[in-house]
């Protein structure tokens, strides 16, 4: 008798081996029809998987995240199937699932065109409607290599040849197409109903520029059409909000080839930067941080001691002088340890909190650079807390509370918490890692935050909490982080005098709220579609005169506002007032102040708020009071 235990705690008994599909059918015909895969003892398997002993089983449908991933993976194979139908000479390589979709790389004698993409998507739809069964078979490695070579799929053969010789490999077949894959896959292609091919790109085989340039086809796939429609709408919105386009049109910043991955800040963009930095500086001051500044370049020996040279060297810019090797700092932590070590500290001084707007450089691959979101030079709102083991929990709880407040001030209230645990490549003892991971878990539980685990995603020196925020159109951005580190203080010789007069090693907590200021500002620009809230806006108000007779009055209004601390400008161009209003509205100025003879004579101003809202006529003092209230409330 075989016992299959289900998620609700019940069990089903079978006299002989059964497939996942048969178990689903025994529960109900609706579940059998919806089943995409199964999870047997925590492992995803096909619905055809045979159960021959006692197991725990859950049926996976398109309502489950794993089910959607399987739909996408199967759609990637459907894409390859369609390409082979239309272009038999094309060779298939790899086709993984990515966020919100999938891609597949092909080798073909000529570039695919947008028209080809339309034809491929049409063929995919035709194949899916055939509802051909997807079947799995297992072959010895060498037999699989011989098979793919026999059908001219040299890339697949090369992939399999990299697998150890004594291992078997699994192949999936649908209709006339067979592909290499671990699976699982949908039971039949008829499950694949909602998909769209998105774009073409180039990609080197195995990511090596010495290899052939392949053609990558990106696509998206969903369980429901309304989900795909929402995603496509989000992409349209994202394109409108693209910070690179807005950076140019709003005169905030630009990029150019002479400085890849680095930003040329214009005056208006730098004003936004200054507001963000000054706000964070107040956060430092109000929460017990000492602001410090470390050197940009440090000797290789220090990076070796910290562990970065062995674990991060490929991402570091290096230089030489007088037979010494230096590295441009990719992070601020070793420098902060040196500041800590410059004096002997007592346990009475701990926790000791350092904060720095530290400029860092990382040698990111050119292909990964993406506007302000992925750069080579950036500034972190970086902080390091030196504390005792007994203080870790309180510091982590306080940091999470502070981060929530900061994000709320910037307009973000939806936060996702993930705890990234020890990676394979790491420094420090398992005992230290246990303490660090447990402290982070307990801190979130004490803060009342639900969280997910990300096994193996911690930094090489310690586990971390990753704080991810959701923007106005539903995109997720991982920004803040806190990391508990037992290793670096020990490696770099940091100590404190304990209550019993012995020397002990402090724990080092690495923390950042915004992360990269450049990236965070890019997120802000896209979140607000360039229409920054008043406290962040590079220009608070622009005063527009109707004719030359009001020019002097318009300038006096601007001077009054500037003296009161507002960022105001005047537009005295000899243009129609409607043109000037339209021009500054496109530039997303929060307040447009119009002055004509009537306003001049009454010592008032006519005010328009962003979005064409007519606020009527008021005194300059009344307007400034309104604006000050808006700035203070950070609306």
């Amino acid at each position: 008798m075989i016992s299959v235990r289900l998620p609700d705690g019940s069990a089903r008994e079978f006299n002989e081996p059964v497939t996942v599909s048969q178990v689903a059918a025994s529960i109900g015909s609706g579940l059998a029809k919806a089943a995409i895969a199964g999870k047997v003892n925590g492992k995803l398997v096909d619905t055809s998987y045979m159960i021959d002993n006692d197991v725990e089983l859950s049926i996976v449908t398109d309502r489950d995240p794993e089910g959607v991933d399987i739909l996408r993976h199967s759609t990637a194979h459907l894409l390859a199937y369609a390409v082979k139908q239309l272009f038999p000479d094309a060779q298939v390589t790899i086709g993984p699932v990515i966020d919100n979709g999938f891609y597949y790389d092909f080798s073909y004698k000529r570039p695919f065109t947008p028209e080809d993409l339309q034809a491929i998507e049409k063929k995919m739809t035709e194949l899916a409607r055939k509802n051909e069964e997807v079947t799995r078979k297992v072959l010895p490695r060498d037999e699989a290599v011989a098979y793919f070579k026999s059908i001219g799929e040299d890339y697949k053969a090369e992939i399999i040849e990299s697998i150890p010789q004594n291992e078997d490999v699994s192949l999936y077949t649908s209709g006339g197409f067979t592909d290499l894959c671990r699976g699982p896959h949908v039971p039949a292609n008829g499950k694949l109903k909602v998909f769209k091919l998105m774009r073409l790109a180039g990609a080197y085989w195995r990511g090596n520029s010495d290899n052939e340039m392949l053609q990558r086809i990106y696509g998206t796939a969903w369980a429901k059409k309304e989900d795909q429609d929402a995603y496509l709408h989000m992409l349209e919105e994202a394109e409108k909000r693209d910070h690179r386009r807005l950076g140019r049109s709003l005169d905030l910043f630009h990029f150019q080839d002479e400085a890849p991955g680095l930003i040329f800040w214009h005056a208006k963009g730098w004003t936004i930067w200054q507001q963000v930095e000054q706000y964070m500086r107040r956060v430092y001051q109000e929460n017990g941080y000492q602001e410090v500044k470390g050197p940009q370049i440090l000797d290789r020996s220090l990076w070796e001691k910290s562990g970065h040279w062995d674990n991060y060297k490929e991402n570091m810019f290096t230089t030489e002088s007088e037979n010494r090797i230096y590295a441009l700092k990719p992070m601020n932590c070793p420098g902060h340890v040196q500041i800590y070590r410059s004096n002997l500290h007592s346990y009475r001084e701990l926790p000791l909190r350092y904060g720095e707007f530290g400029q860092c450089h990382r040698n990111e691959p050119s292909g990964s650079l993406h506007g302000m979101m992925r750069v080579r030079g950036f500034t972190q709102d970086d902080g390091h807390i030196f504390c005792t083991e007994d203080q870790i929990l309180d510091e982590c709880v306080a940091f999470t509370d502070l981060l929530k407040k900061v994000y709320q001030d910037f307009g973000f209230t939806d936060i996702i918490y993930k705890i990234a645990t020890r990676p394979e490549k790491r420094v420090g003892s398992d005992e230290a890692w246990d303490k660090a991971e447990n402290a982070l878990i307990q801190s979130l539980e004490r803060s009342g935050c639900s969280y997910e685990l990300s096994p193996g995603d911690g930094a090489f020196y310690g586990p971390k909490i990753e704080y991810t925020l959701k923007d106005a159109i539903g995109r997720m951005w991982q920004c803040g982080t806190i990391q508990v580190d037992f290793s670096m203080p020990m490696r770099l010789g940091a100590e404190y005098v304990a209550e019993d007069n012995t020397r002990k090693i402090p724990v080092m907590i690495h923390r950042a709220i915004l992360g990269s200021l450049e990236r965070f500002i890019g997120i802000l620009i896209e979140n607000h579609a360039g229409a920054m809230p008043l406290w962040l806006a590079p220009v608070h108000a622009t005063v527009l005169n109707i004719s030359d007779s009001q020019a002097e009055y318009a300038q006096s209004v601007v001077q009054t506002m500037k003296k009161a601390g507002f960022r105001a400008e005047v537009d005295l161009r000899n243009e129609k007032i409607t043109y000037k209003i339209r021009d500054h509205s496109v530039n997303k100025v929060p307040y447009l102040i119009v002055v004509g003879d009537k306003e001049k004579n009454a010592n008032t101003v006519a005010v328009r708020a962003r979005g064409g809202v007519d606020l009527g006529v008021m005194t300059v003092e009344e307007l400034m009071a309104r604006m000050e209230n808006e700035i203070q409330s950070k609306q």
Side-chain angles (χ1 to χ4, degrees), residues 125-145:
T125 301
E126 292 173 5
L127 294 172
R129 285 173 179 164
K130 288 184 178 181
N131 197 27
E132 292 172 320
E133 186 180 3
V134 179
T135 60
R136 179 178 185 267
K137 65 179 178 180
V138 176
L139 292 179
R141 190 203 77 158
D142 290 347
E143 190 175 329
V145 169

Side-chain angles (χ1 to χ4, degrees), residues 266-283:
H266 301 192
K268 289 181 179 178
W270 194 243
T271 299
I272 297 174
W273 171 285
Q274 288 295 317
Q275 299 315 303
V276 173
E277 182 180 339
Q278 289 165 19
Y279 169 87
M280 291 307 301
R281 181 165 282 114
R282 290 192 295 273
V283 168

Side-chain angles (χ1 to χ4, degrees), residues 12-62:
R12 296 200 167 247
E13 308 288 337
F14 299 92
N15 292 322
E16 56 185 7
V18 289
T19 65
V20 170
S21 179
Q22 288 171 327
V23 176
S26 75
I27 299 171
S29 58
L31 183 61
K33 185 177 180 182
I36 287 176
K39 191 182 284 188
V40 174
N41 295 333
K43 179 183 176 182
L44 286 170
V45 298
D46 298 297
T47 57
S48 60
Y49 179 85
M50 189 66 70
I51 300 170
D52 57 8
N53 56 17
D54 293 352
V55 298
E56 292 184 356
L57 170 69
S58 58
I59 305 299
V60 177
T61 72
D62 62 18

Side-chain angles (χ1 to χ4, degrees), residues 481-622:
T481 183
I482 186 169
Q483 305 164 354
V484 177
D485 183 357
F486 283 84
S487 297
M488 194 176 299
M490 177 179 63
R491 293 169 72 98
L492 297 182
E495 295 180 330
Y496 69 93
V497 178
E499 193 169 2
D500 59 3
N501 284 325
T502 61
R503 299 287 182 92
K504 291 189 177 180
I505 299 169
V507 178
M508 186 176 182
I509 298 176
H510 309 246
R511 45 107 292 169
I513 297 178
L514 308 185
S516 158
L517 266 68
E518 287 81 356
R519 180 171 175 268
F520 190 78
I521 291 171
I523 294 167
L524 282 173
I525 290 169
E526 295 200 359
N527 182 65
H528 296 289
M532 306 300 281
L534 188 63
W535 73 284
L536 292 171
V539 177
H540 288 149
T542 302
V543 181
L544 317 174
N545 65 318
I546 294 176
S547 66
D548 288 342
S549 64
Q550 303 98 37
E552 186 176 342
Y553 179 62
Q555 288 175 322
S556 70
V557 170
V558 165
Q559 289 307 312
T560 299
M561 297 186 74
K562 282 185 174 180
K563 286 180 181 178
F566 295 100
R567 298 187 287 276
E569 294 182 345
V570 64
D571 184 350
L572 301 177
R573 290 178 296 172
N574 186 22
E575 300 284 356
K576 290 183 178 180
I577 191 65
T578 52
Y579 173 85
K580 291 199 278 190
I581 289 173
R582 183 168 61 252
D583 189 31
H584 293 288
S585 296
V586 168
N587 287 323
K588 304 181 187 294
V589 176
Y591 285 95
L592 300 182
I593 303 169
V594 179
V595 293
D597 286 337
K598 184 178 178 181
E599 288 76 25
K600 173 185 171 182
N601 294 332
N603 203 30
T604 59
V605 290
V607 183
R608 287 172 173 264
R610 192 162 45 200
V613 181
D614 187 350
L615 297 179
V617 176
M618 62 186 76
T619 65
V620 176
E621 288 71 23
E622 288 171 334

Side-chain angles (χ1 to χ4, degrees), residues 84-193:
K84 291 294 290 184
Q85 289 273 300
L86 294 172
F87 310 98
D89 294 338
Q91 288 197 57
V92 296
T93 63
I94 57 171
V97 172
I98 57 174
D99 288 345
N100 300 310
F102 58 90
Y103 69 78
Y104 215 116
D105 291 345
F106 301 92
S107 173
Y108 192 52
K109 58 192 175 185
R110 66 162 177 82
F112 290 132
T113 66
E115 291 73 24
D116 291 334
L117 220 57
Q118 293 176 10
I120 294 167
E121 186 176 310
K122 182 179 179 182
K123 176 59 70 173
M124 290 171 67
T125 301
E126 292 173 5
L127 294 172
R129 285 173 179 164
K130 288 184 178 181
N131 197 27
E132 292 172 320
E133 186 180 3
V134 179
T135 60
R136 179 178 185 267
K137 65 179 178 180
V138 176
L139 292 179
R141 190 203 77 158
D142 290 347
E143 190 175 329
V145 169
Y147 169 74
F148 281 106
K149 284 185 175 179
S150 73
I151 61 173
E153 295 290 354
D154 296 330
Y155 288 94
K156 287 294 182 186
E158 183 179 331
I159 293 170
I160 300 170
E161 284 175 334
S162 66
I163 296 171
Q165 192 168 8
N166 60 344
E167 290 190 15
D168 293 339
V169 296
S170 60
L171 277 59
Y172 282 82
T173 299
S174 178
F177 178 69
T178 298
D179 205 351
L180 168 72
C181 190
R182 294 191 197 92
H185 277 277
V186 293
N189 283 336
K191 295 280 187 184
L192 312 176
K193 297 176 180 177

Side-chain angles (χ1 to χ4, degrees), residues 142-371:
D142 290 347
E143 190 175 329
V145 169
Y147 169 74
F148 281 106
K149 284 185 175 179
S150 73
I151 61 173
E153 295 290 354
D154 296 330
Y155 288 94
K156 287 294 182 186
E158 183 179 331
I159 293 170
I160 300 170
E161 284 175 334
S162 66
I163 296 171
Q165 192 168 8
N166 60 344
E167 290 190 15
D168 293 339
V169 296
S170 60
L171 277 59
Y172 282 82
T173 299
S174 178
F177 178 69
T178 298
D179 205 351
L180 168 72
C181 190
R182 294 191 197 92
H185 277 277
V186 293
N189 283 336
K191 295 280 187 184
L192 312 176
K193 297 176 180 177
V194 184
F195 54 80
K196 182 175 180 59
L197 299 185
M198 304 296 292
R199 60 188 174 93
L200 294 161
Y204 291 109
W205 170 236
R206 294 192 180 274
N208 187 337
S209 59
D210 294 331
N211 292 335
E212 179 191 352
M213 174 68 80
L214 304 173
Q215 299 188 67
R216 177 169 293 177
I217 299 178
Y218 284 97
T220 188
W222 300 83
K224 298 177 182 177
K225 186 177 184 303
E226 52 265 37
D227 292 338
Q228 179 167 284
D229 289 344
Y231 172 67
L232 295 176
H233 176 70
M234 184 272 289
L235 291 182
E236 290 176 8
E237 278 295 310
E239 187 173 353
K240 295 176 189 174
R241 295 164 181 258
D242 190 313
H243 71 280
R244 295 165 297 182
R245 182 180 65 82
L246 290 170
R248 291 190 300 270
S249 65
L250 300 179
D251 193 26
L252 304 178
F253 54 81
H254 81 273
F255 302 90
Q256 63 187 60
D257 291 341
E258 288 79 2
L262 301 170
I263 301 168
F264 290 84
W265 287 98
H266 301 192
K268 289 181 179 178
W270 194 243
T271 299
I272 297 174
W273 171 285
Q274 288 295 317
Q275 299 315 303
V276 173
E277 182 180 339
Q278 289 165 19
Y279 169 87
M280 291 307 301
R281 181 165 282 114
R282 290 192 295 273
V283 168
Y284 282 173
Q285 294 167 350
E286 293 168 4
N287 289 274
Y289 286 84
Q290 301 177 28
E291 188 175 340
V292 298
K293 188 73 174 177
Q296 287 297 109
I297 299 175
L298 293 166
D299 188 273
R300 166 181 173 169
S301 61
L302 183 61
W303 298 112
E304 289 176 335
K305 289 177 184 176
S306 70
H308 288 91
W309 195 260
D310 291 334
N311 293 278
Y312 204 76
K313 179 173 61 177
E314 66 276 9
N315 294 103
M316 298 168 71
F317 287 104
T318 58
T319 186
E320 293 186 31
S321 177
E322 297 179 339
N323 297 317
R324 294 178 67 180
I325 299 175
Y326 299 88
L328 205 55
K329 66 175 180 180
M331 58 264 303
N332 303 293
C333 22
H336 286 190
V337 178
Q338 305 316 301
I339 295 172
Y340 176 89
R341 288 182 66 244
S342 67
N343 290 299
L344 182 62
H345 298 283
S346 163
Y347 72 95
R348 297 180 186 275
E349 298 174 67
L350 305 183
L352 187 58
R353 306 181 186 99
Y354 292 151
E356 178 178 359
F357 299 102
Q359 190 171 7
C360 300
H361 289 82
R362 296 179 184 175
N363 191 12
E364 303 284 1
S366 59
S368 70
L369 300 177
H370 179 71

Side-chain angles (χ1 to χ4, degrees), residues 366-383:
S366 59
S368 70
L369 300 177
H370 179 71
M372 297 170 71
M373 305 306 190
R374 191 74 174 266
V375 291
R376 285 177 172 165
F378 58 96
T379 302
Q380 287 184 311
D381 67 316
D382 211 355

